Amino acid sequence: MGWLDGDVALVTGGGSGIGLAVVERFLSEGCVGVGVMVRSPQQGVDLRERFGERVVVVDGDVRSGADNQRAVDATVGRFGRFDTLVGNAGVWDFNTRLEKMDLAQLDASFDELFGVNVKGYLLAARAAAEALRASSGSMIFTLSNASFHAGGGGPLYVASKHAGLGLVRQLAFEFAPQVRVNAVAPGGTATALRGPASLGKGERRLTDIPNFHEAVATAMPLKLIAEPADHAGHYVLLASRANSRATTAAVLRSDGGWEIRPI
Ligand code: NAD
């Protein structure tokens, strides 16, 4: 018996990091299938190898409405139902301060960061809405410590994740009573989260930052850097109708205690 027995989910950015941990955990909690939207064809190959027929992989860009619709349609088409959307694909800005960007870079990187981190969530929600209303399902979005505090990125990332918080609240309001809308807010996590191509950081990974693990672990009251799997149970809880029936517009923080850091 799993908490998600018989359910079907769709995870954007589910080919790596936190999204991949959610895919794995949803399947182990009884999901009959998970749609996964990826940007890298290799991620698709790896997912099919690992999970076989229990995943349907859709190559696409979350900034495209048509790609989001294809992902929803492929998931429903393959598994015959749809219970949970996990909007998760994201990019980071590598702490780039405002004055480190010239006007052209700022213009382009705003469009890229907000295109993925905010518009991508809106388009996924729009594409999934009708099917989730029909199934009384739920949406879960990956936010961040940067949804609440300064210092988890530069102004573009922090603003985009604050926008994500507003989006969760507004969508929870608009989709009630049929669809619950919630979020998980991880803190520093050992993933290969990338930067924006528009800042020349498209191939740079979070884990390329020297001493990133140690810096996060030192700064957090729980003295750890999270692994992607550390967050996955929060998504299970929020997706579970039996365990979260009365929960909407909630954000589960999974950040090692960011809010209670000592001065
Ligand atoms: P990750 O890079 O492993 O996952 C992000 C995924 O999004 C990747 O698979 C990537 O291919 C995909 N993606 C990026 N742009 C895309 C696009 N345009 N279309 C489709 N897919 C796209 O890194 P992660 O850390 O697992 O990131 C997942 C989420 O967690 C992000 O929303 C991120 O902001 C958030 N987060 C991460 C951390 C951290 O420290 N790693 C902390 C807080 C929040």
Side-chain angles (χ1 to χ4, degrees):
M1 282 277 289
W3 276 22
L4 304 178
D5 276 341
D7 279 6
V8 171
L10 168 63
V11 182
T12 71
S16 64
I18 296 166
L20 177 59
V22 171
V23 171
E24 186 174 20
R25 185 71 189 273
F26 273 27
L27 289 171
S28 76
E29 290 289 343
C31 272
V32 290
V34 179
V36 189
M37 195 170 173
V38 300
R39 258 205 114 186
S40 125
Q42 186 56 47
Q43 287 182 353
V45 172
D46 294 345
L47 283 160
R48 286 188 203 96
E49 226 170 66
R50 191 159 161 195
F51 302 114
E53 295 298 306
R54 300 178 75 199
V55 294
V56 59
V57 178
V58 177
D59 285 287
D61 187 329
V62 293
R63 292 169 290 184
S64 154
D67 286 359
N68 278 285
Q69 194 62 61
R70 264 194 315 116
V72 170
D73 293 347
T75 304
V76 177
R78 168 76 78 86
F79 302 115
R81 56 181 289 163
F82 187 28
D83 301 283
T84 308
L85 166 71
V86 178
N88 165 79
V91 283
W92 193 48
D93 65 0
F94 280 85
N95 287 327
T96 307
R97 288 175 175 247
L98 188 64
E99 289 165 295
K100 292 282 183 195
M101 294 176 271
D102 64 30
L103 289 175
Q105 281 177 322
L106 177 56
D107 193 3
S109 49
F110 175 89
D111 287 349
E112 186 174 350
L113 254 293
F114 273 72
V116 177
N117 294 0
V118 184
K119 188 169 88 172
Y121 283 6
L122 279 165
L123 291 172
R126 181 64 187 87
E130 188 181 343
L132 292 180
R133 277 199 197 273
S135 69
S136 293
S138 81
M139 300 180 187
I140 305 167
F141 294 96
T142 304
L143 296 182
S144 169
N145 53 281
S147 298
F148 302 96
H149 308 287
L156 290 175
Y157 185 76
V158 172
S160 76
K161 288 297 179 181
H162 272 64
L165 177 60
L167 197 148
V168 166
R169 290 177 170 151
Q170 179 63 24
L171 294 187
F173 167 71
E174 290 190 15
F175 288 135
Q178 295 96 345
V179 182
R180 297 179 298 105
V181 182
N182 295 295
V184 177
T189 306
T191 71
L193 184 61
R194 286 172 198 256
S198 50
L199 285 177
K201 296 178 188 212
E203 292 309 313
R204 197 159 176 222
R205 298 150 188 249
L206 189 69
T207 38
D208 292 338
I209 298 175
N211 302 323
F212 175 72
H213 287 50
E214 295 75 10
V216 171
T218 304
M220 290 305 119
L222 290 184
K223 299 294 173 213
L224 56 77
I225 175 156
E227 293 296 328
D230 292 328
H231 311 304
H234 293 357
Y235 293 82
V236 173
L237 172 64
L238 292 172
S240 165
R241 290 182 178 87
N243 294 289
S244 289
R245 195 168 80 92
T247 301
T248 197
V251 184
L252 295 187
R253 299 190 193 203
S254 188
D255 61 11
W258 187 283
E259 194 168 31
I260 51 159
R261 281 178 303 163
I263 293 171

